[in-house]
Amino acid sequence: MGVATFLVAVLVGILLLSASASWPPTPGPRIGGGHKISQATVNPPVPGEDKTYWREEAQETLRRQLNLTNTVRKAKNIIFFLGDGMGVGTITAARILKGSQTGRWERESLSWEDFPHSAHIKTYNTNSQVVDSASSATAFLCGVKGNLWTVGVDANVLQVNCTDALNETFHTDSIAKWFQDAGRSAGFVTTTRVTHATPAGAYAHSANRGWEDDAIMVKTGQDPDVCDDIAEQLILKDPGNKFKVIMGGGRQRLLPQSVIDVEEGVGGYRLDGKDLISMWKSDKDSKGVSSAYVWNREDLLALDTANTDYLLGLFAYSHMDYLLDRKPKMDPSLPEMTKAAIEVLRRDENGYFLMVEGGRIDQAHHENKARKALTETLEFDEAVQMALAMTDPLDTLIIVTVDHAQPLTINGYPNRHNDILGVGDVSGVDNIPYTALLYGNGPGYDVTEEGKRPDPSKLNLTDSNYRQTAAIPQSSSYHSGEDVGLWVTGPHSHLFTGVYEQNYIAHALAYAACVGEGLTFCDERKSNGTEGREP
Ligand SMILES: *[C@@H]1O[C@H](CO)[C@@H](O)[C@H](O)[C@H]1NC(C)=O
Ligand SMILES: *[C@@H]1O[C@H](CO)[C@@H](O)[C@H](O)[C@H]1NC(C)=O
Ligand SMILES: *[C@@H]1O[C@H](CO)[C@@H](O)[C@H](O)[C@H]1NC(C)=O
Ligand SMILES: *[C@@H]1O[C@H](CO)[C@@H](O)[C@H](O)[C@H]1NC(C)=O
Ligand SMILES: *[C@@H]1O[C@H](CO)[C@@H](O)[C@H](O)[C@H]1NC(C)=O
Ligand SMILES: [Zn+2]
């Protein structure tokens, strides 16, 4: 075709495009202040954000980036923060919620967002594109991907029956055990039951994450005399019985039916008559080490942590309460538990591995209750700040990552400084407002009698139990499969600068700390581990 014909064709194309209503897409009616629906289409910009502002802001970031150096010493300690279900949407939303409180709004940072290195993590496992917390824990703690719902075992073990998981050739050991094998300490803190999927990845080998006690095994046709339940593995088996710190909820799984729980007023779940809490205490007494069992906040805060070798804290019958439902007098916060854990573990001169899980971010999302999920995320942020304040970046690697995402998205074109938990925009099709946060699936699915979407501007969005709308009904949301984030600071943080498989995490951490298979690499380092070949 000649140049003239070509130009005519382009011109016609442009005319057709501009005549068409479908491209570029015109945004629907916009929300004015106070969530009043208006046809205003122009949002005023935030004052002061002209080109001078953006150039200076970027130049400052650049100066900080150019000043970065790699720390190539051996990591004496590793603190592993795991935000369960804390996908990228959750993080952006939590950042804006935090910013609404500080006045920095969208410019706010969560504590880990200032870390020098970060990565994207591919979470799929050996039989599923979308993972659960058990199989992902096997990946990031043991360095091996396995099947959905299994924990501490490789792909040879299907979630069928327990005998598959008895074969030790299929077992995967965790970085917590590698630390212990290297003569160092390990422990964990969670807001879920201590027998729940994520912590189980540090100590258990089970074909089913659900087998937290023997009663549930019997109920599901398993023989608890053949395979140990997860609570029993935690208290009686290696490496769980050597953990210096175990804190979270879940007394129901450790107590027999004959022992009445101190808060709940009912017996535990166990059929085998074992009181694993007193067995834990007598095991430590028999070893002549100092130990403490605490079940409420007051006792934890009063504890002489500097003289405690082993600490078991069980603060709830099941999971600990959500922050928004918590009885502050009875239940410690996640930062308080993190502080106590570090105080106990740092008594080991050789170093320690501590996992801290914000376990209920995920559970609030399962209920499609975004306000609860975001406030759990902000408490998790405070726990990270606590660890940063208590440790030295020259000897302590702090990592923050996520097991899997939840199907939460930020929708529409909300104005700057819009309440992230409020209405964000209005549909241009049905003219009904929608919240800025929406779920792909879950119990938030709802239709009115007229077959329409409920109008959230008429509902109480400040109620902590408000469920954001979900596209597909599920009684509890199913997870989502997009990549998750990883942020890291301290020795060897530069090992994380790209897109990685989730099981790489355990291997890189082992290298940084000279434990497990990382020992082989560390032997090759020029000196005694304080210097490396990098960069
Ligand atoms: C650069 O790094 C040094 C040492 O880590 C620090 O003292 C200094 O404040 C940093 N400068 C900037 C601009 O970040
Ligand atoms: C468990 O699996 C083994 C072999 O994989 C089989 O022999 C056994 O019958 C199964 N047990 C149950 C309770 O399903
Ligand atoms: C464990 O699995 C391996 C590999 O499949 C097999 O060779 C071995 O016999 C199994 N051991 C037991 C005790 O079943
Ligand atoms: C909305 O929910 C909050 C929190 O539960 C409550 O304090 C408030 O009174 C409720 N507002 C209305 C109008 O019901
Ligand atoms: C070994 O490490 C210590 C610090 O922990 C350092 O002072 C010493 O120089 C190192 N030794 C060698 C041979 O590099
Ligand atoms: Zn979940």
Side-chain angles (χ1 to χ4, degrees):
M1 122 175 77
V3 172
T5 330
F6 175 75
L7 284 177
V8 167
V10 167
L11 198 62
V12 168
I14 288 170
L15 286 174
L16 278 176
L17 269 180
S18 49
S20 143
S22 64
W23 192 262
T26 42
R30 310 303 299 273
I31 309 274
H35 299 155
K36 265 188 70 192
I37 302 160
S38 79
Q39 295 295 314
T41 52
V42 180
N43 299 331
V46 169
E49 292 189 2
D50 60 3
K51 65 183 181 185
T52 311
Y53 166 79
W54 290 111
R55 284 173 174 163
E56 282 177 3
E57 186 263 355
Q59 290 290 315
E60 191 191 312
T61 306
L62 180 59
R63 275 192 297 273
R64 229 182 317 131
Q65 191 68 20
L66 292 171
N67 199 27
L68 279 187
T69 52
N70 293 340
T71 307
V72 294
R73 298 191 194 189
K74 167 175 156 180
K76 178 184 172 193
N77 313 309
I78 291 179
I79 306 182
F80 191 119
F81 282 93
L82 193 283
D84 201 311
M86 191 179 71
V88 168
T90 305
I91 288 171
T92 308
R95 179 200 301 146
I96 295 173
L97 179 63
K98 181 181 178 183
S100 73
Q101 294 155 6
T102 62
R104 289 181 51 78
W105 288 95
E106 298 81 10
R107 306 196 309 228
E108 187 53 86
S109 302
L110 299 173
S111 51
W112 56 84
E113 295 183 309
D114 295 327
F115 287 4
H117 294 102
S118 59
H120 264 224
I121 299 300
K122 296 155 76 175
T123 61
Y124 73 91
N125 70 17
T126 51
N127 67 349
S128 185
Q129 284 180 338
V130 178
V131 295
D132 77 310
S133 295
S135 55
S136 56
T138 310
F140 59 72
L141 291 173
C142 305
V144 174
K145 292 196 183 198
N147 296 319
L148 212 56
W149 318 122
T150 67
V151 65
V153 289
D154 77 6
N156 284 293
V157 179
L158 299 173
Q159 183 230 341
V160 186
N161 78 37
C162 79
T163 47
D164 289 335
L166 280 179
N167 190 331
E168 288 187 7
T169 48
F170 305 149
H171 286 188
T172 59
D173 287 334
S174 77
I175 187 167
K177 179 168 167 50
W178 301 338
F179 262 73
Q180 291 177 344
D181 290 349
R184 295 151 82 178
S185 296
F188 73 85
V189 169
T190 179
T191 48
T192 66
R193 294 188 294 267
V194 294
T195 49
H196 210 244
T198 306
Y203 60 84
H205 308 286
S206 182
N208 192 326
R209 56 177 281 179
W211 298 336
E212 292 178 60
D213 62 85
D214 63 339
I216 190 143
M217 293 189 72
V218 170
K219 207 182 288 176
T220 55
Q222 303 299 319
D223 184 350
D225 290 332
V226 176
C227 294
D228 291 335
D229 59 80
I230 292 171
E232 210 174 347
Q233 292 189 46
L234 171 61
I235 302 299
L236 305 178
K237 289 257 173 112
D238 178 44
N241 65 358
K242 288 197 287 186
F243 284 165
K244 297 272 177 73
V245 171
I246 300 171
M247 271 192 277
R251 293 188 299 262
Q252 59 182 205
R253 310 299 173 126
L254 280 74
L255 292 175
Q257 298 188 344
S258 58
V259 172
I260 302 300
D261 183 71
V262 63
E263 275 184 299
E264 200 73 5
V266 296
Y269 283 14
R270 302 195 68 78
L271 294 173
D272 59 9
K274 287 178 181 164
D275 177 345
L276 292 172
I277 298 175
S278 40
M279 288 174 86
W280 179 87
K281 185 72 180 135
S282 46
D283 174 59
K284 305 312 169 217
D285 290 346
S286 74
K287 286 174 176 151
V289 292
S290 72
S291 66
Y293 166 64
V294 291
W295 63 270
N296 62 65
R297 176 174 187 258
E298 212 167 298
D299 290 351
L300 178 69
L301 298 188
L303 188 68
D304 180 11
T305 45
N307 288 300
T308 304
D309 293 324
Y310 289 80
L311 170 57
L312 174 63
L314 297 173
F315 303 105
Y317 185 65
S318 181
H319 303 302
M320 292 182 69
D321 286 334
Y322 289 119
L323 176 68
L324 291 176
D325 299 334
R326 202 175 290 161
K327 299 176 282 293
K329 206 162 171 282
M330 295 305 290
D331 299 332
S333 67
L334 190 58
E336 285 167 347
M337 292 195 287
T338 303
K339 177 172 182 282
I342 294 172
E343 284 168 354
V344 169
L345 288 167
R346 71 182 174 195
R347 304 182 63 223
D348 188 334
E349 284 173 6
N350 296 318
Y352 60 83
F353 174 84
L354 168 64
M355 177 164 72
V356 178
E357 187 197 18
R360 305 213 68 198
I361 301 166
D362 180 62
Q363 293 176 340
H365 279 319
H366 277 297
E367 299 181 53
N368 288 170
K369 293 178 179 174
R371 184 175 293 274
K372 283 186 169 171
L374 298 192
T375 48
E376 293 295 303
T377 305
L378 294 189
E379 189 189 38
F380 182 70
D381 181 44
E382 288 173 19
V384 175
Q385 289 172 43
M386 176 66 78
L388 287 167
M390 291 178 72
T391 54
D392 180 351
L394 287 180
D395 69 12
T396 302
L397 180 155
I398 296 183
I399 178 169
V400 176
T401 189
V402 175
D403 46 2
H404 56 75
Q406 277 275 4
L408 178 84
T409 53
I410 302 179
N411 296 271
Y413 300 100
N415 296 351
R416 285 289 297 277
H417 301 187
N418 186 75
D419 176 4
I420 193 66
L421 288 161
V423 167
D425 215 331
V426 179
S427 164
V429 175
D430 65 13
N431 296 317
I432 300 173
Y434 54 94
T435 51
L437 301 182
L438 294 170
Y439 286 96
N441 73 83
Y445 176 84
D446 199 10
V447 279
T448 65
E449 277 173 22
E450 301 83 52
K452 292 191 168 169
R453 298 188 297 109
D455 180 347
S457 69
K458 301 199 169 79
L459 300 170
N460 189 352
L461 303 185
T462 61
D463 192 316
S464 60
N465 288 315
Y466 171 75
R467 296 181 206 270
Q468 273 72 8
T469 301
I472 303 294
Q474 290 283 11
S475 58
S476 167
S477 78
Y478 286 13
H479 297 162
S480 64
E482 61 267 27
D483 292 356
V484 295
L486 181 154
W487 301 260
V488 59
T489 184
H492 289 94
S493 63
H494 57 283
L495 297 180
F496 298 94
T497 55
V499 183
Y500 303 99
E501 297 289 353
Q502 195 161 39
N503 63 307
Y504 167 75
I505 298 171
H507 294 265
L509 294 179
Y511 176 77
C514 295
V515 297
E517 288 179 59
L519 278 173
T520 336
F521 289 104
C522 288
D523 287 344
E524 295 167 13
R525 288 185 192 166
K526 285 184 206 128
S527 70
N528 61 8
T530 58
E531 281 175 59
R533 285 169 298 171
E534 311 99 322

